[in-house]
Amino acid sequence: MEDSVVINLRSTYFKYSEDNPLLIDLDFTLSRGDRVGIIGCNGCGKTTLFYLIMGLLRPHAGEIEVFGKKREKEDDFVEVREKIGFLFQNSDDQLFCPSVREEIAFGPLNFGKRGKEVEDIVDESLASVGLEGFKQRAPYHLSGGEKRRLAVATILAMKPRVLLLDEPTLGLDLPTVEKIVDILDKPGLSYIIISQNREFLKRTTSKLYTFENGALKTVD
Ligand SMILES: Nc1ncnc2c1ncn2[C@@H]1O[C@H](COP(=O)(O)OP(=O)(O)O)[C@@H](O)[C@H]1O
Ligand SMILES: [Mg+2]
């Protein structure tokens, strides 16, 4: 059924420049409830795939369909960015507010939420990644692992049902990885996780792909 397709890439072709050997040519479908992992060598195009889905890069040919609509122009991607929780590979690309509280409140405020509801979301999101007591801290003073946890919390605050997570366990300690595993265990989520952590992918995903010559290949 068409409705069950969340993300559909059809012959999506992308190349950074003539002198960059990476050429992406993809056919890929994420259906509702799919839990997909992508593992693969450095520079094989994993992050580029996420940028194409989020509209941060545009394909030279082919089609990108998200939530049943073809996405081509900047405006088309507004809804995609609102509804998909996207964790950047580098947390510094995700964080831009002067305090942890504002960082998490930003999304919900943008969605029109106010007052106690926002404060409750901030508290809940921080608790889910073990950052209670961090509200007044400056994001740029946090350690790498703390930034990663905060970046995850900003995404959870939006309560997305579709997630694209680019190396979510990078720099995280084991108890926090366990928290992420629990978060991903919630019913009703669909996601793609890029990771080099096979053990983590084994526990959180049911389909595993790798990149080979710019295309996704199933790993058994
Ligand atoms: N903005 C850019 N301009 C040119 N080349 C880039 C750019 N971003 C990434 N690349 C190159 O494209 C390839 C794929 O990058 P990326 O998708 O980030 O790989 P990864 O699979 O490690 O996430 C790499 O060789 C990288 O150096
Ligand atoms: Mg990457």
Side-chain angles (χ1 to χ4, degrees):
M1 215 176 87
E2 197 54 35
D3 239 358
S4 70
V5 174
V6 183
I7 296 168
N8 190 217
L9 306 186
R10 282 189 295 273
S11 309
T12 303
Y13 177 93
F14 177 83
K15 203 170 178 3
Y16 281 104
S17 64
E18 278 317 307
D19 53 1
N20 185 327
L22 177 76
L23 178 157
I24 287 186
D25 196 354
L26 286 175
D27 285 285
F28 172 77
T29 302
L30 182 82
S31 297
R32 212 158 279 289
D34 275 354
R35 296 166 183 250
V36 168
I38 301 178
I39 196 163
C41 59
N42 297 139
C44 63
K46 305 181 298 297
T47 296
T48 304
L49 163 67
F50 278 6
Y51 279 23
L52 287 166
I53 295 170
M54 298 305 290
L56 302 172
L57 292 171
R58 295 293 149 72
H60 305 305
E63 285 182 9
I64 296 181
E65 205 174 279
V66 188
F67 304 124
K69 273 167 74 176
K70 213 165 128 182
R71 311 286 170 170
E72 289 174 304
K73 300 181 298 297
E74 183 63 17
D75 277 0
D76 298 335
F77 285 97
V78 173
E79 185 195 10
V80 175
R81 294 177 197 144
E82 278 174 2
K83 290 193 180 162
I84 293 185
F86 176 41
L87 184 74
F88 281 85
Q89 179 168 355
N90 181 351
S91 305
D92 288 326
D93 291 336
Q94 195 115 30
L95 306 173
F96 55 90
C97 289
S99 75
V100 165
R101 187 202 150 275
E102 286 163 282
E103 201 74 71
I104 297 177
F106 184 87
L109 284 170
N110 230 4
F111 269 9
K113 302 206 182 300
R114 294 291 179 268
K116 186 172 181 310
E117 194 181 359
V118 173
E119 297 316 313
D120 286 348
I121 292 173
V122 170
D123 290 339
E124 251 171 57
S125 309
L126 283 177
S128 64
V129 296
L131 282 183
E132 299 93 337
F134 276 67
K135 264 197 266 193
Q136 302 311 324
R137 301 274 297 274
Y140 48 89
H141 284 159
L142 300 181
S143 76
E146 288 166 347
K147 279 184 187 172
R148 201 87 194 120
R149 284 147 77 180
L150 174 57
V152 171
T154 64
I155 289 167
L156 298 179
M158 305 288 287
K159 305 194 189 305
R161 296 166 67 84
V162 180
L163 301 168
L164 299 186
L165 307 179
D166 199 343
E167 310 213 7
T169 64
L170 205 67
L172 293 184
D173 55 29
L174 289 177
T176 314
V177 172
E178 289 307 312
K179 285 193 167 79
I180 306 279
V181 171
D182 282 349
I183 289 165
L184 293 173
D185 201 31
K186 299 235 163 60
L189 288 178
S190 316
Y191 53 74
I192 310 173
I193 301 177
I194 293 170
S195 179
Q196 304 296 349
N197 185 341
R198 237 173 218 277
E199 195 50 43
F200 174 73
L201 288 179
K202 252 191 204 151
R203 295 176 64 193
T204 54
T205 64
S206 52
K207 283 186 199 171
L208 186 59
Y209 293 94
T210 189
F211 259 97
E212 229 175 80
N213 303 321
L216 287 168
K217 293 263 156 31
T218 308
V219 180
D220 299 318

